[in-house]
Amino acid sequence: MRRYDLDWLRVFVFGLLIFYHVGMFFVPWGYHIKNNVEYEWLKFPMLFLNQWRLPILFVISGMGTYYALNKRTGLQFGLERIKRLFLPLVVGMLVIVPPQVYIERIAYDQFIGSYFDFWPSKAFIGVYPEGNLSWHHLWFLPYLLLFSLALLPVFLYLRKHPGNRFISRLKKIVSNRFGLFWFLIPLYLYESLLEPFFNVTHALIGDWFAIANYATLFLYGFLLISVKEQFWQTVTRHRRFYLRCGLIGFTSFLSLILIFEDSIWVHFTEASLKVFNLWSWILALFGYAAHYLNKQSATLAYSNEAVYPFYILHQTITIVAGYFIMNLSWGLLPKFLILSIATFGGSFIIYEFFIRRWKWIRPLFGLKLKKAIFPPSKQTDGSATKVDPSF
């Protein structure tokens, strides 16, 4: 049975990603180009999103892998992952990401000339940031591909032995609202002992904290959907409890980093609050989505297919649009609105008229070869377009 709430969450979180990357244009954190005025206060809502937005994506991807693997052999699944993740990554690195690097270079006087003076002759020389070759925001794809293939033997074993002792024990743990917090132990160990020595780079090679952390969350998604009845019952019944935990967790985390100077005990306390906070929000979001959003619709059918191309396209549009307004004297609100509208609107136009309707272009952006026949206004239910939810 398809979980439409997972589809809604996936669309919702990737939609937030667009707003998050627009926000990166304005906060005093490192980004490819920056607005001429940065807003210190904006980092607090950004920090709130930053706590759980990536973790929940990996959990959802792990859940989607469970459904994708049910319909395929191990070999079929591996080949499908390569086609669906590696091909769009290559296309993105060759076509979608280079305009971002070009804009950064000309914005900071690191290159002079037109885009076609830059691409392709200069675009693939050296590795970013010293060079120009990069996957930028598409880093999610190689990580997801790595986890899917590396954990495949574990997934195949669990599929072949659904009633093994580990799964039976897991059902009992997940049935208790406090039992779900046992999942925090590995996350806490990574955050407290690994993260200080390995800053997140999204470069894959040497990115040990991110690999361990995200791979574990990906595995959690597969495990939780393996005991889906117990999991959904628990998070739905106790969604308000997890919401309160999330509110307490983020408030405590924020208070700690604002009041106390860094020290050993602050580090270990911060690590515990961070993982408690992010996991509480993930459980709360699953609970509320299961209660309110587990229903199909034409909007969901269209959005669920569009979300992957939107993800591939969006940051390039944001950075290109941002370049033309970065030095204008306008305030935060008009610039934020313009960038958001430009990003969503530009992604929609490219997807609707240059990707969705063209049979041979679709696989380059992770979509199935078969053309979606009807526009969204003609679809009467959520079954017109089947989308693999494991991305």
Side-chain angles (χ1 to χ4, degrees), residues 2 11 13 50 52 78 98 110 115 124 139 145 147 219 225 229 237 241 251 266-267 342 370 383 385:
R2 189 178 185 94
V11 170
V13 175
N50 197 37
W52 51 263
Q110 297 168 347
Y115 179 68
F124 310 113
W139 68 267
L145 179 61
F147 303 156
L219 176 61
I225 209 69
E229 292 182 7
R237 183 182 303 120
F241 167 74
T251 302
V266 168
H267 166 72
K370 182 179 178 180
S383 61
T385 304

Side-chain angles (χ1 to χ4, degrees), residues 8 10 31 37-38 51 66 108 168 187 227 238 243 247:
W8 278 116
R10 180 170 170 267
Y31 196 53
V37 177
E38 297 175 358
Q51 293 281 290
Y66 175 90
Y108 298 109
S168 299
L187 302 181
V227 292
H238 301 292
L243 176 61
L247 293 170

Side-chain angles (χ1 to χ4, degrees), residues 187 190-192 194-195 198-200 206-214 274:
L187 302 181
Y190 302 150
E191 189 69 38
S192 60
L194 200 58
E195 189 273 341
F198 298 98
N199 291 328
V200 175
D207 199 14
W208 296 116
F209 166 70
I211 290 173
N213 195 46
Y214 295 146
K274 183 177 180 180

